[in-house]
Amino acid sequence: MRLTKALEENLSSLDDEQVERLASSILRTLGDRRIFVVGAGRSGLVAKAFAMRLMHLGFSVHVVGETTTPRMDPGDLLIVISGSGETLYPATIARQAKKLGGVVAAITSYPESTIGKLADVVVTIEGRILPESTPDYESRQIMGIHEPLTPLGTLFELSTMVFCDALISELAHRLGKTEEDIARRHASLE
């Protein structure tokens, strides 16, 4: 399948140093620090899925905008997922987190974007092509600037979901967490 090959190629281009910086930033929150996640649209759904798995590992994690989300304190971590790095709501939240003394991590296709520049830690995941990057569809096709298998940001979102689940697996290994440990934190009111 072409899509699985595209995902494999996308994820094989990850920068190990960027990934390690994100993993270390997450691990530093253990104890008295919290993790906040934010994204908009489908990226927001990926952020929520990532938050759920972080909670399963025992992290204090919250989705920005939910009614039970507490205040951010200096040193807390905000993880922003935005393919373009320019989405207004996540960019606004990232700016506020910086003002509050938070550490900002961005998962984006554009490290030089507004969110990427605000971030202390950036993981670049290819896949999000900005439509306005060239003037028209035909020019993008001729230049090879397109997402041939999926519409809009889908390749970014799928790649990010797989990346986040792989990162959870790595964090579980580093923390010595077993499947049983994770299952004990799984929702029971379903």
Side-chain angles (χ1 to χ4, degrees):
M1 294 182 64
R2 292 181 348 186
L3 179 57
T4 55
K5 182 154 179 54
L7 285 169
E8 182 181 341
E9 288 173 6
N10 219 20
L11 293 169
S12 68
S13 69
L14 285 169
D15 182 310
D16 291 340
E17 186 175 314
Q18 290 179 348
V19 174
E20 182 55 40
R21 288 189 69 209
L22 178 57
S24 295
S25 296
I26 292 169
L27 289 169
R28 275 194 289 277
T29 68
L30 284 171
D32 62 346
R33 298 282 177 234
R34 290 183 288 250
I35 299 171
F36 297 85
V37 300
V38 68
R42 289 169 48 109
S43 292
L45 296 174
V46 173
K48 286 181 178 184
F50 188 41
M52 180 180 68
R53 289 296 186 218
L54 288 168
M55 179 273 297
H56 288 156
L57 290 179
F59 290 95
S60 176
V61 60
H62 306 277
V63 177
V64 174
E66 297 293 324
T67 58
T68 58
T69 303
R71 64 178 286 118
M72 175 179 248
D73 291 324
D76 287 346
L77 175 64
L78 172 70
I79 301 173
V80 182
I81 298 177
S82 174
S84 70
E86 298 295 341
T87 309
L88 185 58
Y89 177 65
T92 301
I93 298 301
R95 276 190 203 91
Q96 183 64 17
K98 293 297 284 187
K99 286 181 187 174
L100 295 171
V103 176
V104 175
I107 301 174
T108 184
S109 291
Y110 293 92
E112 295 302 316
S113 64
T114 298
I115 293 170
K117 288 178 181 176
L118 285 167
D120 302 290
V121 177
V122 177
V123 174
T124 305
I125 296 182
E126 300 299 328
R128 182 65 171 125
I129 303 299
L130 297 176
E132 63 274 7
S133 64
T134 57
D136 58 58
Y137 173 81
E138 289 80 15
S139 295
R140 290 194 309 271
Q141 293 298 310
I142 291 168
M143 295 169 61
I145 302 173
H146 55 88
E147 296 174 271
L149 303 173
T150 60
L152 302 172
T154 301
L155 186 56
F156 169 78
E157 295 146 4
L158 289 173
S159 297
T160 300
M161 184 70 171
V162 172
F163 164 71
C164 287
D165 278 347
L167 183 55
I168 290 296
S169 180
E170 175 61 24
L171 292 169
H173 173 74
R174 291 184 190 190
L175 295 169
K177 300 283 184 178
T178 65
E179 186 86 12
E180 293 77 26
D181 296 327
I182 293 169
R184 278 193 283 281
R185 291 181 158 279
H186 197 279
S188 61
L189 292 176
E190 297 179 324

